[in-house]
Amino acid sequence: MSAQASVQAAPPSAMGGGTWPVRFGIRVRLFLAFVAVAVLSVVACALGWLSYDRLGGTLDEFAESHLPALGLAAKLAEEGGAIIATAPVLAGSRTEAEMDAIREALGRRLAALHSLTDAIEGGVPGLRPVVDALSRNLSELDGTVRHRLALGRRNQEAIERLRWLHADFLDEIEPLVADARFNIQSALASVESGKPSADAVRVLREENRRSEAVLQIGANGNLAVGLIARAATLATPEMLDDNAGFLDETADRLQRDLTALADWPDGVSLGQVVGQLLALARGADGSVPALRREELETTARGQDLLAQNRDIVARLNGLIARQVQAVESDSRAAAGRSAQAIAFGRSSLLASAVVSLLVAVLVAWLYVNRNLISRLTRLGDAARAIAAGDLKAEIPLGGNDELSDMAAALLVFRDTAIAVEEANAQAMIDNAQAGLAITDGDGVIEFVNPLAAALIAPPSDGRAEQGGGAPRLADRLDAEGAARVTAFFAQASAGPEEGAAPALSILTTGRRPDGGAVPVQVGVRPFWRRQQQRFIVTLTDMTERVEAQHILERTVQERTADLRATNDRLERAIAEHRRTERELREAQAELVQAGKLAALGQLAAGVGHELNQPLAAIRSYAHNGRKLIELGRTEEAGGNLGKIADLTSRMANITNHLKRFARRPDTRLGAVELGPVIQGALSLFGDRLREEAVAVAVELPDAETPLRVRAEEVRLEQVLVNLLSNALDAVAAAPVRRILIRAEASGGVQTGEPDTVLIEVRDSGPGIAAELAGQIFDPFFTTKPMGTGLGLGLSISYNIVRDFGGVLSVAESGPGGTAFVLTLIRA
């Protein structure tokens, strides 16, 4: 349709000629409808404003007079409740740090309570004295708790002293009992030999008297220790009185028994220890029962103060409750006035909303739906049809408003689109930067641009193309390409397969205008024009690409030959690397064995002492056995021989352990139980631990199955020996000599981490300097004096643990000591 026809179809209002009256269009009609709705909304707002103004006055009165009083009362109740809940926690504090934290919290509560009292004191008479009484009560409770904690510390110190005295008591009593028994047996042997004498009988009686006294002291001393320890934990004064009676009787017996040993020089130390025990039992200053009695009295005083605290808070709550009742009565009156204002506003707003709704429904149904929506729907259907390619779709005209203007404009757009589509198709093909052509469903060429004409020129010999004079795409390609294009168009005419769009992309040979052959990439895809299927053909000159492919193939062949040569060199280098690695492993094994032998050399003196002790005991038992046999006491001599056999077995275990530790380790890894390995390493340092007074603690998890790791037993023991040796050197000059060996399982399925075992060796030495921490695992690095170490222990241990698949690291180091951690795979 031409542009002239479009202008003639436009309504008269769109032309410039003639004078027409002003239209009463959509804009004016909608404006008047919305003005009506807006007027009704203003009326509804005015009614709402009047009702809310009445409600606001009531709420202002409530907010200014009642809410502050209620808020202050609620805060007072909250602070009082917090104080009454926290005070028992303060009374039950275990440590001063815990008590200070609770007292600080109570201080903040009291400060808040004083602030609230200053704000509300005029409204609640009698509030200030109650708050002051509560503050004094908490101060007294704080002092009572501090005194109780101090008594508890003194009591704990006394019990700790009691433990040491008990150990000293046992150390003193056992040798005296053994000496007395030996002297009695010697005296009896002399009497039984048939040669009694007055001195032998006197010695027998004296030793018997001393033995009985020592045994009585041992029994009464142990009983006294138990009664003193029990007194430290008794819960009532009555129980303390009963316990004190038993303790006094036991103390009297101890003093009586000590009198029997007054002339015995060996009993002097025992008497001193018993005297210190008696001081703890009923001394004038610092006895355990007296400390416990004062502690119970202090606790009772704290309970009394807690009861007073609850009474004071109850009085505070009573004052607050009376204030809240007064505010509630005023609030109920204000709520009644607010309800009246709300009822009036609800009725007014409901009436105005009903009227506004009726007006809106009438406007929407009578005008918007019937006059606007229906016409817009028909106009939208026409626009969608044109957008879909139906340029002959019917456009609804008529009316004298904005929608009729839109319909006329859409009519002009449709006619213009038809003309532009036909002009643009040829322009796009002519100006494209690639070879383009358009064919119909049978492959007949309808349009072709210059680039495409240069790639599929017609035959130069003047022969007619197949099928008459119509140019076909297949006639411009070689035989193979023509066959595939013909088959494609035949398949497209029969209809595409379900779910697939017809398309073709082939590499074939075309023809230049001079008759020369040219490689061409042909792509064919369908498109729709005016609801008719057409095919767009893209033609690409592949001459440069084919030549590049040939060059690439030659390059690939050359690169392949280079890669083969490089691969041969790499294989030779890998073989050399494996040989070097094998030599390094052998050297490492030799170094590990040397480190073990060096550790054995350092342990030689201690092991010799370990063997000397059983040898000395064997010599003593053999001498005593010979004497017993001479006296005809063969049964006792047999007991000595059994002890000699046990000692020889112990010596055999020591030597067997040394041989096992010295042998070359197995390269295979397996499940190794951790407990025996730790005990085996400790056994090599038994004498040194005793001579240097080093306390060793071993902490293993309590489990039904023993803890096992993936390692090799001899090498794992060597690592622990190196770490223990370093720990002993570190604590040699420390004021507290302590070593801790702890193992625990870590990770697992529940945590999502690897299942490992952590073994910690911690000492109480001076620690490692920060500037040396990064070098401790380096070979031949040591901080020991010249001649006392090679610096290989930690380096060897690090490599052994790495061979196990684990990690050896320094967990922490400082003035409090150093902790090494072995992380191994759990077996």
Side-chain angles (χ1 to χ4, degrees):
M1 186 180 293
S2 63
Q4 183 180 359
S6 300
V7 174
Q8 290 175 355
S13 60
M15 298 184 178
T19 302
W20 295 88
V22 178
R23 294 186 300 176
F24 195 65
I26 297 173
R27 182 181 302 171
V28 177
R29 297 172 191 174
L30 289 177
F31 177 75
L32 293 177
F34 285 120
V35 166
V37 174
V39 169
L40 291 174
S41 300
V42 171
V43 172
C45 290
L47 293 174
W49 182 81
L50 291 174
S51 62
Y52 284 120
D53 183 62
R54 293 177 57 190
L55 179 62
T58 305
L59 292 178
D60 289 341
E61 177 186 355
F62 182 78
E64 292 175 359
S65 60
H66 306 316
L67 280 181
L70 275 177
L72 291 174
K75 290 180 180 178
L76 276 173
E78 178 185 358
E79 297 297 338
I83 289 174
I84 199 173
T86 311
V89 181
L90 175 64
S93 298
R94 298 289 184 181
T95 62
E96 289 189 355
E98 179 183 356
M99 187 191 70
D100 292 338
I102 298 171
R103 189 65 181 90
E104 183 180 355
L106 281 174
R108 292 195 297 269
R109 296 289 184 183
L110 278 175
L113 200 59
H114 281 291
S115 300
L116 293 172
T117 302
D118 295 337
I120 202 174
E121 186 174 9
V124 183
L127 182 61
R128 170 65 67 178
V130 175
V131 174
D132 293 339
L134 182 61
S135 178
R136 290 192 298 273
N137 174 268
L138 290 176
S139 297
E140 293 179 8
L141 181 61
D142 178 70
T144 302
V145 173
R146 291 186 185 276
H147 186 55
R148 177 178 61 79
L149 291 177
L151 291 173
R153 285 195 303 272
R154 293 178 60 191
N155 199 347
Q156 188 65 30
E157 292 171 358
I159 292 300
E160 187 67 24
R161 183 185 173 196
L162 177 64
R163 292 194 186 97
W164 287 106
L165 286 175
H166 188 212
D168 294 341
F169 176 77
L170 294 177
D171 290 341
E172 292 290 338
I173 201 72
E174 289 178 359
L176 294 179
V177 171
D179 290 345
R181 286 177 178 173
F182 184 80
N183 293 334
I184 290 173
Q185 289 177 357
S186 299
L188 285 173
S190 177
V191 172
E192 292 174 355
S193 64
K195 300 177 181 179
S197 63
D199 292 337
V201 173
R202 182 184 57 78
V203 170
L204 180 61
R205 289 175 179 175
E206 182 67 21
E207 292 300 331
N208 186 47
R209 180 182 63 80
R210 289 176 181 174
S211 176
E212 290 179 357
V214 169
L215 291 175
Q216 287 293 331
I217 290 173
N220 291 325
N222 287 325
L223 178 59
V225 169
L227 291 173
I228 295 171
R230 183 170 179 267
T233 59
L234 291 177
T236 63
E238 292 76 10
M239 298 173 69
L240 269 176
D241 293 337
D242 295 338
N243 190 78
F246 291 119
L247 189 57
D248 288 339
E249 294 178 3
T250 305
D252 293 339
R253 288 195 297 268
L254 277 173
Q255 288 181 339
R256 184 173 60 251
D257 294 332
L258 280 176
T259 305
L261 301 179
D263 57 345
W264 193 17
D266 292 341
V268 174
S269 298
L270 179 62
Q272 294 174 352
V273 173
V274 172
Q276 295 179 15
L277 284 175
L278 294 176
L280 286 178
R282 54 185 184 181
D285 184 18
S287 68
V288 173
L291 289 174
R292 183 56 181 171
R293 187 179 302 278
E294 187 176 357
E295 186 178 357
L296 290 176
E297 292 174 354
T298 305
T299 302
R301 172 59 180 163
Q303 295 300 321
D304 294 338
L305 290 174
L306 282 179
Q308 295 177 12
N309 181 272
R310 287 191 291 270
D311 294 339
I312 295 171
V313 174
R315 290 163 51 196
L316 178 65
N317 290 335
L319 294 174
I320 295 171
R322 288 196 294 272
Q323 178 68 13
V324 171
Q325 289 175 357
V327 174
E328 284 181 350
S329 62
D330 294 340
S331 301
R332 281 193 292 271
R337 294 192 298 272
S338 300
Q340 295 176 358
I342 291 172
F344 172 75
R346 186 184 297 116
S347 302
S348 302
L349 290 176
L350 180 61
S352 61
V354 170
V355 175
S356 298
L357 182 61
L358 290 175
V359 173
V361 168
L362 291 174
V363 171
W365 176 254
L366 296 178
Y367 178 66
V368 175
N369 182 60
R370 296 179 60 184
N371 195 22
L372 295 181
I373 301 299
S374 61
R375 292 172 63 194
L376 281 172
T377 300
R378 294 194 302 273
L379 192 60
D381 293 339
R384 282 191 293 272
I386 294 172
D390 185 8
L391 298 181
K392 296 182 179 181
E394 182 180 357
I395 299 174
L397 299 173
N400 187 21
D401 53 17
E402 288 85 349
L403 290 180
S404 61
D405 295 342
M406 290 174 62
L410 185 59
L411 180 63
V412 174
F413 172 76
R414 184 192 68 179
D415 296 339
T416 305
I418 293 173
V420 170
E421 181 190 57
E422 295 176 350
N424 285 343
Q426 186 64 41
M428 289 171 58
I429 294 175
D430 291 341
N431 295 320
Q433 296 300 315
L436 295 177
I438 294 178
T439 69
D440 61 7
D442 296 327
V444 177
I445 298 175
E446 296 180 350
F447 298 102
V448 65
N449 70 349
L451 290 178
L455 298 176
I456 52 171
S460 58
D461 55 4
R463 292 184 289 106
E465 299 184 11
Q466 297 179 6
R472 302 175 63 86
L473 178 61
D475 298 336
R476 306 291 181 87
L477 305 175
D478 62 0
E480 182 181 357
R484 295 186 63 181
V485 168
T486 302
F488 170 75
F489 281 111
Q491 180 183 359
S493 299
E497 297 180 0
E498 184 178 357
L504 177 67
S505 179
I506 61 173
L507 179 62
T508 183
T509 303
R511 185 183 301 108
R512 296 189 185 278
D514 58 2
V518 57
V520 179
Q521 181 74 33
V522 179
V524 185
R525 286 187 174 275
F527 73 98
W528 292 85
R529 186 176 67 183
R530 300 187 197 174
Q531 299 182 349
Q532 294 181 357
Q533 190 179 45
R534 292 289 185 272
F535 291 87
I536 185 166
V537 182
T538 58
L539 302 164
T540 305
D541 188 352
M542 303 296 290
T543 303
E544 294 181 359
R545 187 175 300 179
V546 170
E547 293 178 356
Q549 184 175 1
H550 293 326
I551 295 173
L552 179 61
E553 290 175 354
R554 290 195 301 270
T555 304
V556 168
Q557 293 176 355
E558 295 173 358
R559 296 296 185 193
T560 302
D562 293 340
L563 285 175
R564 287 197 185 98
T566 303
N567 189 36
D568 293 339
R569 289 195 299 272
L570 284 175
E571 288 180 353
R572 291 193 296 272
I574 290 172
E576 181 66 21
H577 175 73
R578 288 175 178 171
R579 184 184 63 78
T580 304
E581 183 180 4
R582 186 167 56 253
E583 293 176 353
L584 287 174
R585 286 188 178 276
E586 293 174 356
Q588 182 184 4
E590 293 295 333
L591 188 60
V592 169
Q593 186 68 14
K596 288 168 52 179
L597 295 177
L600 283 176
Q602 295 177 356
L603 296 171
V607 172
H609 189 74
E610 286 288 331
L611 295 177
N612 285 333
Q613 284 184 337
L615 286 173
I618 288 171
R619 184 167 55 252
S620 176
Y621 282 128
H623 176 74
N624 292 337
R626 186 178 61 186
K627 292 292 185 182
L628 291 172
I629 290 173
E630 291 176 356
L631 295 174
R633 297 158 62 183
T634 58
E635 184 176 352
E636 295 181 20
N640 283 0
L641 292 176
K643 293 179 181 178
I644 291 173
D646 293 338
L647 290 172
T648 56
S649 176
R650 174 184 170 188
M651 294 172 62
N653 289 335
I654 294 173
T655 56
N656 287 335
H657 185 72
L658 289 174
K659 288 192 295 182
R660 183 175 61 83
F661 182 74
R663 76 170 188 263
R664 289 188 175 271
D666 194 352
T667 58
R668 293 171 298 178
L669 302 182
V672 178
E673 186 175 345
L674 198 56
V677 175
I678 294 176
Q679 294 302 327
L682 286 173
S683 67
L684 297 177
F685 294 96
D687 183 66
R688 184 177 176 185
L689 291 171
R690 287 188 296 270
E691 287 183 355
E692 298 181 8
V694 179
V696 178
V698 179
E699 297 181 3
L700 296 177
D702 297 331
E704 297 180 358
T705 58
L707 201 60
R708 292 184 173 89
V709 296
R710 182 176 177 273
E712 195 275 324
E713 184 176 3
V714 176
R715 286 189 285 169
L716 179 58
E717 183 176 344
Q718 181 182 356
V719 172
L720 293 175
V721 166
N722 288 336
L723 294 179
L724 284 171
S725 177
N726 289 342
L728 285 170
D729 292 340
V731 302
V736 177
R737 301 176 182 180
R738 184 170 56 250
I739 297 175
L740 171 64
I741 304 175
R742 178 169 54 197
E744 62 180 359
S746 176
V749 178
Q750 297 179 350
T751 61
E753 298 179 355
D755 197 3
T756 58
V757 174
L758 303 181
I759 307 169
E760 179 184 359
V761 179
R762 179 183 295 271
D763 62 63
S764 59
I768 302 172
E771 61 272 12
L772 303 178
Q775 308 176 42
I776 59 173
F777 294 114
D778 293 343
F780 303 106
F781 176 80
T782 180
T783 58
K784 300 177 183 178
M786 184 67 68
T788 59
L790 298 177
L792 292 175
L794 286 179
S795 176
I796 292 173
S797 300
Y798 182 86
N799 289 309
I800 290 175
V801 175
R802 185 181 62 183
D803 291 341
F804 293 163
V807 177
L808 173 60
S809 61
V810 180
E812 60 179 273
S813 182
T818 303
F820 285 86
V821 174
L822 284 81
T823 303
L824 299 176
I825 301 172
R826 188 172 184 179

